[in-house]
Amino acid sequence: MPASSSRLPMRLRKLIGTFLLVAWIIAYTVLAVTLGTASFFPQHVAVLLVYYVVAGIAWIFPVRYLLAWMQKPDTPA
């Protein structure tokens, strides 16, 4: 069996990737808010502002690999 025939079609990769993306965003949001409101974290407005700006941008770095996988073109049969 050739290696190219075992690849998932783009349509299926996008479906799987969409569910993974939604699950990742929910889990990441819960984690970020939990850390942001934790008692060991300084509750100063400036510190929280920096934390939430960084946390609001940082979620995209792991997602770029998922998006690249979802957008890979199908290999011809």
Side-chain angles (χ1 to χ4, degrees):
M1 177 181 259
S4 63
S5 66
S6 65
R7 289 190 122 177
L8 296 173
M10 182 186 279
R11 191 171 179 152
L12 184 57
R13 285 194 311 267
K14 285 185 177 184
L15 178 66
I16 293 168
T18 300
F19 285 112
L20 289 174
L21 183 62
V22 169
W24 166 251
I25 290 174
I26 291 170
Y28 183 83
T29 302
V30 169
L31 179 66
V33 170
T34 302
L35 287 176
T37 59
S39 61
F40 66 89
F41 203 71
Q43 297 298 310
H44 191 271
V45 174
V47 174
L48 289 175
L49 177 67
V50 170
Y51 170 75
Y52 282 113
V53 167
V54 170
I57 295 170
W59 68 273
I60 195 68
F61 293 110
V63 169
R64 66 182 168 178
Y65 299 109
L66 177 63
L67 292 176
W69 173 74
M70 289 168 60
Q71 294 297 323
K72 265 196 249 180
D74 288 335
T75 55

Coordinates of all heavy atoms in Angstrom, one line a residue:
M1 N 0.8 -1.2 0.0 CA 0.0 0.0 0.0 C 0.9 1.2 0.0 O 1.7 1.4 0.9 CB -0.9 0.0 1.2 CG -1.8 1.2 1.3 SD -2.8 1.1 2.8 CE -4.3 0.6 2.1
P2 N 0.7 2.1 -1.0 CA 1.6 3.3 -1.0 C 1.3 4.3 0.2 O 0.2 4.3 0.7 CB 1.2 4.0 -2.3 CG 0.3 3.1 -3.1 CD -0.1 2.0 -2.1
A3 N 2.3 5.0 0.6 CA 2.1 5.9 1.7 C 1.1 7.0 1.4 O 0.5 7.5 2.3 CB 3.5 6.5 2.1
S4 N 1.0 7.5 0.2 CA 0.1 8.6 -0.2 C -1.3 8.2 0.0 O -2.2 9.1 0.2 CB 0.4 9.1 -1.6 OG 0.1 8.0 -2.5
S5 N -1.7 6.9 -0.1 CA -3.1 6.6 0.0 C -3.6 6.5 1.5 O -4.7 6.5 1.7 CB -3.3 5.2 -0.7 OG -2.7 4.2 0.1
S6 N -2.6 6.5 2.4 CA -3.0 6.5 3.8 C -3.3 7.9 4.4 O -3.7 8.0 5.5 CB -1.9 5.8 4.7 OG -0.8 6.6 4.6
R7 N -3.0 8.9 3.6 CA -3.3 10.3 4.1 C -4.8 10.6 4.1 O -5.5 10.1 3.3 CB -2.6 11.3 3.1 CG -1.1 11.3 3.3 CD -0.6 12.5 2.5 NE 0.2 13.3 3.5 CZ 0.8 14.3 3.1 NH1 0.7 14.8 1.9 NH2 1.5 15.0 4.0
L8 N -5.2 11.4 5.1 CA -6.6 11.8 5.2 C -6.9 12.9 4.1 O -6.0 13.7 3.8 CB -6.8 12.4 6.5 CG -6.7 11.4 7.7 CD1 -6.8 12.2 9.0 CD2 -7.7 10.3 7.7
P9 N -8.0 12.8 3.5 CA -8.4 13.9 2.6 C -8.5 15.2 3.3 O -8.8 15.3 4.5 CB -9.7 13.4 2.0 CG -10.2 12.3 2.9 CD -9.1 11.8 3.6
M10 N -8.3 16.3 2.6 CA -8.4 17.6 3.2 C -9.7 17.9 3.9 O -9.7 18.5 5.0 CB -8.1 18.7 2.2 CG -8.1 20.1 2.8 SD -8.0 21.4 1.6 CE -6.2 21.4 1.3
R11 N -10.8 17.5 3.3 CA -12.1 17.7 3.9 C -12.2 17.1 5.3 O -12.7 17.7 6.2 CB -13.2 17.1 3.0 CG -14.5 17.5 3.3 CD -15.5 17.1 2.2 NE -16.8 17.5 2.6 CZ -17.7 17.8 1.8 NH1 -17.5 17.7 0.5 NH2 -18.9 18.1 2.2
L12 N -11.7 15.8 5.5 CA -11.7 15.2 6.7 C -10.7 15.8 7.7 O -11.0 15.9 8.9 CB -11.4 13.7 6.6 CG -11.5 12.8 7.8 CD1 -12.8 12.9 8.4 CD2 -11.1 11.4 7.4
R13 N -9.6 16.2 7.2 CA -8.6 16.9 8.1 C -9.2 18.2 8.6 O -9.0 18.6 9.8 CB -7.3 17.2 7.3 CG -6.4 16.0 7.1 CD -5.0 16.4 6.7 NE -5.0 17.4 5.6 CZ -4.9 17.1 4.3 NH1 -4.8 15.8 3.9 NH2 -4.9 18.0 3.4
K14 N -9.9 18.9 7.8 CA -10.6 20.2 8.3 C -11.7 19.9 9.3 O -11.8 20.6 10.3 CB -11.2 20.9 7.1 CG -10.1 21.6 6.3 CD -10.8 22.5 5.2 CE -9.7 23.2 4.4 NZ -10.3 24.1 3.4
L15 N -12.4 18.8 9.1 CA -13.4 18.5 10.1 C -12.8 18.1 11.5 O -13.2 18.6 12.5 CB -14.3 17.3 9.6 CG -15.4 16.8 10.5 CD1 -16.4 17.9 10.8 CD2 -16.0 15.5 10.0
I16 N -11.8 17.2 11.4 CA -11.1 16.8 12.6 C -10.4 18.0 13.3 O -10.5 18.3 14.5 CB -10.1 15.7 12.3 CG1 -10.8 14.4 11.9 CG2 -9.2 15.5 13.5 CD1 -9.9 13.4 11.3
G17 N -9.8 18.9 12.4 CA -9.1 20.0 12.9 C -10.0 21.0 13.6 O -9.6 21.7 14.6
T18 N -11.2 21.2 13.0 CA -12.2 22.1 13.6 C -12.6 21.7 15.0 O -12.6 22.5 15.9 CB -13.4 22.2 12.7 OG1 -13.0 22.7 11.4 CG2 -14.4 23.1 13.3
F19 N -12.8 20.4 15.2 CA -13.2 19.9 16.5 C -12.0 20.0 17.5 O -12.2 20.4 18.7 CB -13.7 18.5 16.5 CG -15.0 18.3 16.0 CD1 -15.3 17.7 14.7 CD2 -16.1 18.8 16.7 CE1 -16.6 17.6 14.2 CE2 -17.4 18.7 16.2 CZ -17.6 18.1 15.0
L20 N -10.8 19.8 17.0 CA -9.6 19.9 17.9 C -9.4 21.4 18.2 O -9.0 21.7 19.4 CB -8.4 19.3 17.2 CG -8.3 17.8 17.1 CD1 -7.1 17.4 16.2 CD2 -8.2 17.2 18.4
L21 N -9.6 22.3 17.3 CA -9.4 23.7 17.5 C -10.4 24.2 18.6 O -10.0 24.9 19.5 CB -9.6 24.5 16.2 CG -9.3 26.0 16.3 CD1 -7.9 26.3 16.7 CD2 -9.6 26.6 14.9
V22 N -11.6 23.8 18.5 CA -12.6 24.3 19.5 C -12.3 23.7 20.8 O -12.3 24.4 21.8 CB -14.1 23.8 19.0 CG1 -15.1 24.0 20.1 CG2 -14.5 24.6 17.8
A23 N -11.9 22.4 20.9 CA -11.5 21.8 22.2 C -10.3 22.5 22.8 O -10.2 22.8 24.0 CB -11.2 20.3 22.0
W24 N -9.3 22.8 21.9 CA -8.1 23.5 22.4 C -8.4 24.9 22.9 O -7.9 25.3 24.0 CB -7.1 23.6 21.3 CG -6.0 24.6 21.6 CD1 -5.8 25.8 21.0 CD2 -4.9 24.5 22.5 NE1 -4.7 26.4 21.5 CE2 -4.2 25.6 22.5 CE3 -4.6 23.5 23.4 CZ2 -3.1 25.8 23.3 CZ3 -3.5 23.7 24.3 CH2 -2.8 24.8 24.2
I25 N -9.3 25.7 22.2 CA -9.6 27.0 22.7 C -10.3 27.0 24.0 O -10.1 27.8 24.9 CB -10.4 27.8 21.6 CG1 -9.5 28.1 20.4 CG2 -11.0 29.1 22.2 CD1 -10.2 28.7 19.3
I26 N -11.2 26.0 24.2 CA -12.0 25.9 25.4 C -11.0 25.6 26.6 O -11.0 26.2 27.7 CB -13.1 24.9 25.3 CG1 -14.2 25.4 24.4 CG2 -13.7 24.5 26.7 CD1 -15.3 24.4 24.0
A27 N -10.2 24.6 26.4 CA -9.2 24.1 27.4 C -8.2 25.2 27.7 O -7.9 25.5 28.9 CB -8.5 22.9 27.0
Y28 N -7.7 25.9 26.7 CA -6.8 27.0 26.9 C -7.4 28.2 27.7 O -6.8 28.7 28.6 CB -6.2 27.5 25.6 CG -5.1 28.5 25.7 CD1 -3.8 28.2 26.0 CD2 -5.5 29.9 25.6 CE1 -2.9 29.1 26.2 CE2 -4.5 30.9 25.8 CZ -3.2 30.5 26.1 OH -2.2 31.4 26.2
T29 N -8.6 28.5 27.3 CA -9.3 29.6 28.0 C -9.5 29.3 29.5 O -9.3 30.1 30.4 CB -10.7 29.9 27.4 OG1 -10.5 30.2 26.0 CG2 -11.4 31.0 28.0
V30 N -9.9 28.1 29.8 CA -10.1 27.7 31.2 C -8.8 27.7 31.9 O -8.7 28.2 33.1 CB -10.8 26.3 31.3 CG1 -10.7 25.7 32.7 CG2 -12.2 26.3 30.7
L31 N -7.8 27.2 31.3 CA -6.4 27.3 32.0 C -6.0 28.7 32.2 O -5.5 29.1 33.3 CB -5.4 26.5 31.1 CG -4.0 26.5 31.7 CD1 -3.9 25.7 33.0 CD2 -3.1 25.9 30.7
A32 N -6.1 29.6 31.2 CA -5.6 30.9 31.3 C -6.4 31.7 32.3 O -5.8 32.5 33.1 CB -5.7 31.6 29.9
V33 N -7.7 31.5 32.4 CA -8.5 32.2 33.4 C -8.2 31.7 34.8 O -8.1 32.5 35.8 CB -10.0 32.2 33.0 CG1 -10.9 32.7 34.2 CG2 -10.3 32.9 31.8
T34 N -8.0 30.4 34.9 CA -7.7 29.8 36.2 C -6.4 30.3 36.7 O -6.2 30.7 37.9 CB -7.7 28.3 36.1 OG1 -8.9 27.8 35.6 CG2 -7.3 27.6 37.4
L35 N -5.4 30.4 35.8 CA -4.1 31.0 36.3 C -4.2 32.4 36.5 O -3.5 33.0 37.5 CB -3.0 30.7 35.2 CG -2.5 29.3 35.0 CD1 -1.5 29.2 33.9 CD2 -1.9 28.8 36.3
G36 N -4.9 33.2 35.8 CA -5.1 34.6 36.0 C -5.8 35.0 37.2 O -5.5 36.0 37.8
T37 N -6.6 34.1 37.7 CA -7.4 34.4 39.0 C -6.8 33.7 40.2 O -7.4 33.8 41.3 CB -8.9 34.1 38.8 OG1 -9.0 32.7 38.5 CG2 -9.5 34.9 37.7
A38 N -5.7 32.9 40.0 CA -5.1 32.2 41.1 C -4.6 33.1 42.2 O -4.1 34.2 41.9 CB -4.0 31.3 40.6
S39 N -4.6 32.7 43.4 CA -4.2 33.5 44.5 C -2.7 33.8 44.5 O -2.3 34.8 45.1 CB -4.7 32.9 45.8 OG -4.1 31.7 46.0
F40 N -1.9 32.9 43.9 CA -0.5 33.1 43.9 C 0.0 34.1 42.9 O 1.1 34.6 42.9 CB 0.3 31.8 43.7 CG 0.0 31.2 42.3 CD1 0.8 31.5 41.3 CD2 -1.0 30.3 42.1 CE1 0.6 30.9 40.0 CE2 -1.2 29.7 40.9 CZ -0.4 30.0 39.8
F41 N -0.9 34.5 42.0 CA -0.6 35.4 40.9 C -0.9 36.8 41.4 O -2.0 37.1 42.0 CB -1.5 35.1 39.7 CG -1.0 35.6 38.4 CD1 0.0 35.0 37.8 CD2 -1.7 36.7 37.8 CE1 0.5 35.5 36.6 CE2 -1.2 37.1 36.5 CZ -0.1 36.5 35.9
P42 N 0.0 37.8 41.2 CA -0.2 39.2 41.7 C -1.5 39.8 41.1 O -1.7 39.7 39.9 CB 1.0 40.0 41.2 CG 2.0 39.0 40.8 CD 1.3 37.7 40.5
Q43 N -2.4 40.3 41.9 CA -3.6 40.9 41.4 C -3.6 42.3 41.1 O -4.6 43.0 41.2 CB -4.7 40.5 42.4 CG -5.0 39.0 42.6 CD -5.4 38.3 41.4 OE1 -6.3 38.8 40.7 NE2 -4.7 37.2 41.1
H44 N -2.5 42.8 40.7 CA -2.3 44.2 40.3 C -2.8 44.4 38.9 O -2.6 43.5 38.0 CB -0.9 44.7 40.4 CG -0.7 46.2 40.3 ND1 -0.5 46.8 39.1 CD2 -0.7 47.1 41.2 CE1 -0.4 48.1 39.3 NE2 -0.5 48.3 40.6
V45 N -3.5 45.5 38.6 CA -4.1 45.7 37.3 C -3.1 45.7 36.2 O -3.4 45.1 35.1 CB -4.9 47.1 37.3 CG1 -5.4 47.4 35.9 CG2 -6.0 47.1 38.3
A46 N -1.9 46.3 36.3 CA -0.9 46.3 35.3 C -0.4 44.9 35.0 O -0.2 44.5 33.8 CB 0.2 47.2 35.6
V47 N -0.2 44.1 36.1 CA 0.3 42.7 35.9 C -0.8 41.9 35.2 O -0.4 41.1 34.3 CB 0.7 42.1 37.3 CG1 1.0 40.7 37.1 CG2 1.8 42.9 37.9
L48 N -2.0 42.1 35.6 CA -3.1 41.3 34.9 C -3.3 41.7 33.5 O -3.5 40.8 32.6 CB -4.4 41.5 35.7 CG -4.5 40.8 37.1 CD1 -5.8 41.2 37.8 CD2 -4.3 39.3 36.9
L49 N -3.1 43.0 33.2 CA -3.2 43.4 31.8 C -2.1 42.8 30.9 O -2.4 42.2 29.9 CB -3.1 44.9 31.7 CG -3.1 45.5 30.3 CD1 -4.5 45.3 29.7 CD2 -2.8 47.0 30.4
V50 N -0.9 42.8 31.4 CA 0.2 42.1 30.6 C -0.1 40.6 30.5 O 0.1 40.1 29.4 CB 1.5 42.4 31.3 CG1 2.6 41.6 30.7 CG2 1.9 43.9 31.2
Y51 N -0.5 40.0 31.6 CA -0.8 38.6 31.6 C -1.8 38.2 30.5 O -1.7 37.3 29.7 CB -1.2 38.0 32.9 CG -1.7 36.6 32.9 CD1 -0.8 35.6 32.7 CD2 -3.1 36.4 32.9 CE1 -1.3 34.3 32.7 CE2 -3.6 35.1 32.8 CZ -2.7 34.0 32.7 OH -3.1 32.7 32.6
Y52 N -3.0 38.9 30.6 CA -4.0 38.6 29.6 C -3.7 39.0 28.2 O -4.2 38.3 27.3 CB -5.4 39.2 30.1 CG -6.0 38.5 31.2 CD1 -6.1 39.0 32.5 CD2 -6.5 37.2 31.0 CE1 -6.7 38.3 33.5 CE2 -7.0 36.4 32.1 CZ -7.1 37.0 33.3 OH -7.7 36.3 34.3
V53 N -2.9 40.0 28.0 CA -2.5 40.3 26.6 C -1.6 39.1 26.1 O -1.8 38.6 25.0 CB -1.7 41.6 26.5 CG1 -1.0 41.8 25.2 CG2 -2.7 42.8 26.7
V54 N -0.6 38.7 26.9 CA 0.2 37.6 26.5 C -0.6 36.3 26.3 O -0.4 35.6 25.3 CB 1.4 37.4 27.5 CG1 2.2 36.2 27.2 CG2 2.3 38.6 27.5
A55 N -1.4 36.0 27.3 CA -2.2 34.8 27.2 C -3.2 34.9 26.0 O -3.5 33.8 25.4 CB -3.0 34.6 28.5
G56 N -3.7 36.0 25.7 CA -4.6 36.2 24.5 C -3.9 36.0 23.2 O -4.5 35.6 22.2
I57 N -2.6 36.2 23.1 CA -1.8 36.0 21.9 C -1.2 34.6 21.8 O -1.1 34.0 20.8 CB -0.8 37.1 21.8 CG1 -1.5 38.5 21.6 CG2 0.2 36.8 20.6 CD1 -0.5 39.6 21.7
A58 N -0.8 34.1 23.0 CA 0.0 32.8 23.0 C -0.8 31.6 22.5 O -0.1 30.6 22.1 CB 0.5 32.6 24.4
W59 N -2.1 31.6 22.5 CA -2.8 30.4 22.1 C -2.6 30.1 20.6 O -2.8 28.9 20.2 CB -4.3 30.6 22.4 CG -5.0 31.6 21.5 CD1 -5.1 32.9 21.8 CD2 -5.6 31.4 20.3 NE1 -5.7 33.5 20.7 CE2 -6.1 32.6 19.8 CE3 -5.9 30.2 19.5 CZ2 -6.8 32.8 18.6 CZ3 -6.5 30.4 18.3 CH2 -7.0 31.6 17.9
I60 N -2.3 31.1 19.8 CA -2.2 30.9 18.4 C -0.9 30.1 18.0 O -0.9 29.4 17.0 CB -2.2 32.2 17.6 CG1 -2.5 32.0 16.2 CG2 -1.0 33.0 17.8 CD1 -3.8 31.5 15.8
F61 N 0.1 30.1 18.8 CA 1.4 29.5 18.4 C 1.2 27.9 18.3 O 1.7 27.4 17.3 CB 2.5 29.8 19.4 CG 2.9 31.3 19.2 CD1 2.6 32.2 20.2 CD2 3.5 31.8 18.1 CE1 3.0 33.5 20.1 CE2 3.8 33.1 18.0 CZ 3.6 34.0 19.0
P62 N 0.6 27.2 19.2 CA 0.4 25.8 18.9 C -0.6 25.5 17.8 O -0.6 24.5 17.1 CB -0.2 25.3 20.3 CG 0.1 26.3 21.3 CD 0.2 27.6 20.5
V63 N -1.6 26.5 17.6 CA -2.6 26.3 16.6 C -2.1 26.4 15.2 O -2.6 25.7 14.3 CB -3.7 27.3 16.8 CG1 -4.7 27.3 15.7 CG2 -4.5 27.0 18.1
R64 N -1.0 27.1 15.0 CA -0.4 27.2 13.6 C -0.1 25.9 13.0 O -0.2 25.7 11.8 CB 0.7 28.2 13.6 CG 1.9 27.7 14.3 CD 3.0 28.7 14.3 NE 4.0 28.3 15.3 CZ 5.1 28.9 15.5 NH1 5.4 30.0 14.8 NH2 6.0 28.5 16.4
Y65 N 0.4 24.9 13.8 CA 0.7 23.6 13.3 C -0.5 22.8 12.9 O -0.5 22.1 11.9 CB 1.5 22.8 14.3 CG 2.8 23.5 14.7 CD1 3.0 24.1 15.9 CD2 3.9 23.6 13.8 CE1 4.2 24.7 16.2 CE2 5.1 24.2 14.0 CZ 5.2 24.7 15.3 OH 6.4 25.4 15.6
L66 N -1.6 23.0 13.7 CA -2.8 22.3 13.4 C -3.4 22.9 12.1 O -3.9 22.2 11.2 CB -3.9 22.5 14.5 CG -5.2 22.0 14.3 CD1 -5.2 20.5 14.1 CD2 -6.2 22.3 15.4
L67 N -3.4 24.3 11.9 CA -3.9 24.9 10.7 C -3.0 24.5 9.5 O -3.6 24.3 8.4 CB -3.9 26.4 10.9 CG -4.9 27.0 11.9 CD1 -4.7 28.5 12.1 CD2 -6.3 26.6 11.6
A68 N -1.7 24.4 9.6 CA -0.9 24.0 8.5 C -1.2 22.5 8.1 O -1.3 22.2 6.9 CB 0.6 24.1 8.9
W69 N -1.5 21.7 9.1 CA -1.9 20.3 8.8 C -3.2 20.3 8.1 O -3.4 19.5 7.1 CB -1.9 19.5 10.1 CG -2.5 18.1 9.9 CD1 -1.8 17.0 9.3 CD2 -3.8 17.6 10.3 NE1 -2.6 15.9 9.4 CE2 -3.8 16.3 9.9 CE3 -4.9 18.2 10.9 CZ2 -5.0 15.5 10.2 CZ3 -6.0 17.4 11.2 CH2 -6.0 16.1 10.8
M70 N -4.2 21.1 8.5 CA -5.5 21.1 7.9 C -5.5 21.6 6.5 O -6.2 21.2 5.6 CB -6.4 22.0 8.7 CG -6.8 21.5 10.1 SD -7.6 22.7 11.2 CE -9.0 23.1 10.2
Q71 N -4.5 22.5 6.2 CA -4.5 23.2 4.8 C -3.6 22.5 3.8 O -3.5 22.9 2.7 CB -4.0 24.6 5.0 CG -5.0 25.5 5.7 CD -6.4 25.6 5.0 OE1 -6.4 25.6 3.8 NE2 -7.4 25.5 5.8
K72 N -2.9 21.4 4.2 CA -2.1 20.7 3.3 C -2.9 20.2 2.1 O -4.0 19.6 2.3 CB -1.4 19.4 4.0 CG -0.1 19.7 4.5 CD 0.6 18.4 4.8 CE 0.7 18.2 6.3 NZ 1.4 16.9 6.6
P73 N -2.4 20.4 0.9 CA -3.2 19.9 -0.2 C -3.2 18.4 -0.3 O -2.3 17.8 0.1 CB -2.4 20.6 -1.4 CG -1.1 20.9 -0.9 CD -1.2 21.1 0.5
D74 N -4.2 17.9 -0.9 CA -4.3 16.5 -1.1 C -3.3 16.0 -2.1 O -3.0 16.8 -3.1 CB -5.7 16.1 -1.6 CG -6.8 16.2 -0.5 OD1 -6.5 16.1 0.7 OD2 -8.0 16.4 -0.9
T75 N -2.7 14.9 -1.9 CA -1.8 14.3 -2.9 C -2.6 13.6 -3.9 O -3.6 12.9 -3.7 CB -0.8 13.3 -2.2 OG1 -1.6 12.3 -1.5 CG2 0.1 14.1 -1.2
P76 N -2.1 13.8 -5.2 CA -2.9 13.1 -6.3 C -2.7 11.5 -6.1 O -1.7 11.0 -5.7 CB -2.2 13.6 -7.5 CG -1.0 14.3 -7.1 CD -1.0 14.5 -5.7
A77 N -3.8 10.8 -6.5 CA -3.8 9.4 -6.4 C -2.9 8.7 -7.4 O -2.5 9.1 -8.4 CB -5.2 8.8 -6.5

